[in-house]
Amino acid sequence: DIQMTQSPSSLSASVGDRVTITCRASQSISSYLNWYQQKPGKAPKLLIYAASSLQSGVPSRFSGSGSGTDFTLTISSLQPEDFATYYCQQSYSTPVTFGQGTRLEIK
Amino acid sequence: QVQLVESGGGLVKPGGSLRLSCAASGFTFSDYYMSWIRQAPGKGLEWVSYISSSGSTIYYADSVKGRFTISRDNAKNSLYLQMNSLRAEDTAVYYCARETGAVTPFDYWGQGTLVTVSS
């Protein structure tokens, strides 16, 4: 199975900050990397697919980059509604696997 | 609009069985692959099982293989997960989620249904 490792596991930031979350795969997954946002008590929501494509309806302050084994999710200017947990997921091979999550908290 | 609504969760004793359902609407269900994904309390996301649009291809996580069975009824726009020999470690919120293909993301998720395995 492909292991997905996110860093950091938690992060404190302020409204307006630029934030970057990193995801590393245990082997190359090309660009088959997706990012999700989850708020407490809610289902995950797809933000970015294929490493850098913005899902319809997602604000442009969210962006993704990377290929192979190293990927990043960047939020250019944090808004109050962005405080949540973020997960990366590889869809390169079965079983698909998720990172352990990054909890983004208000400083 | 796309809607996925899970049902069937609840409290069950270890060794017991439960059948989850996911009712789909707002899209052509038979065109899409579907998965079950679970989240133990306070933990991360774990993919459980996947079924192709026709039902001809099925995969399971090793943790549930031989105990869980995924199925779908395209005429009823419904996805199912039959869970047998349940263990305490199966306690989780179970989500159904839609995929457009075999290597695509989960673009829509249901709200989840809680399964608690406890004596």
Side-chain angles (χ1 to χ4, degrees):
Chain A
D1 298 2
I2 298 175
Q3 307 303 314
M4 306 301 294
T5 304
Q6 288 181 233
S7 61
S9 294
S10 64
L11 174 60
S12 294
S14 301
V15 172
D17 284 353
R18 179 183 180 91
V19 165
T20 298
I21 298 169
T22 297
C23 180
R24 174 165 288 175
S26 60
Q27 65 184 74
S28 178
I29 57 170
S30 184
S31 295
Y32 294 99
L33 190 283
N34 312 301
W35 289 98
Y36 301 86
Q37 177 194 66
Q38 187 179 33
K39 296 182 179 179
K42 300 294 187 182
K45 171 188 172 184
L46 178 64
L47 298 176
I48 301 284
Y49 64 95
S52 60
S53 296
L54 194 67
Q55 175 68 352
S56 175
V58 174
S60 58
R61 63 182 179 272
F62 291 92
S63 64
S65 65
S67 66
T69 61
D70 294 312
F71 302 87
T72 59
L73 171 70
T74 299
I75 310 172
S76 60
S77 178
L78 273 174
Q79 298 303 300
E81 61 268 29
D82 299 337
F83 292 94
T85 300
Y86 293 84
Y87 293 93
C88 62
Q89 176 239 339
Q90 64 83 15
S91 51
Y92 178 79
S93 67
T94 301
V96 300
T97 46
F98 294 87
Q100 81 279 13
T102 295
R103 185 174 178 184
L104 180 52
E105 300 174 319
I106 301 174
K107 184 182 288 184
Chain B
Q1 71 283 18
V2 173
Q3 275 202 308
L4 297 169
V5 180
E6 301 93 339
S7 60
L11 175 63
V12 61
K13 289 181 168 53
S17 298
L18 214 52
R19 189 194 195 208
L20 305 184
S21 299
C22 171
S25 60
F27 66 101
T28 304
F29 181 69
S30 58
D31 285 347
Y32 289 84
Y33 293 28
M34 298 294 296
S35 278
W36 288 98
I37 297 153
R38 68 185 180 183
Q39 187 170 36
K43 302 298 184 182
L45 299 165
E46 180 190 17
W47 170 81
V48 171
S49 182
Y50 149 104
I51 186 167
S52 62
S53 53
S54 66
S56 60
T57 301
I58 286 173
Y59 294 110
Y60 297 100
D62 286 346
S63 58
V64 307
K65 202 172 295 180
R67 300 187 299 122
F68 289 12
T69 302
I70 192 171
S71 62
R72 65 189 297 161
D73 185 336
N74 286 342
K76 294 184 178 179
N77 293 334
S78 292
L79 174 73
Y80 306 101
L81 187 68
Q82 177 67 44
M83 303 186 295
N84 298 332
S85 303
L86 282 161
R87 306 166 180 167
E89 54 265 35
D90 296 319
T91 294
V93 174
Y94 285 73
Y95 297 100
C96 62
R98 188 185 87 163
E99 307 167 70
T100 52
V103 291
T104 57
F106 302 112
D107 63 350
Y108 283 92
W109 299 59
Q111 85 289 350
T113 188
L114 176 62
V115 173
T116 303
V117 184
S118 175
S119 54

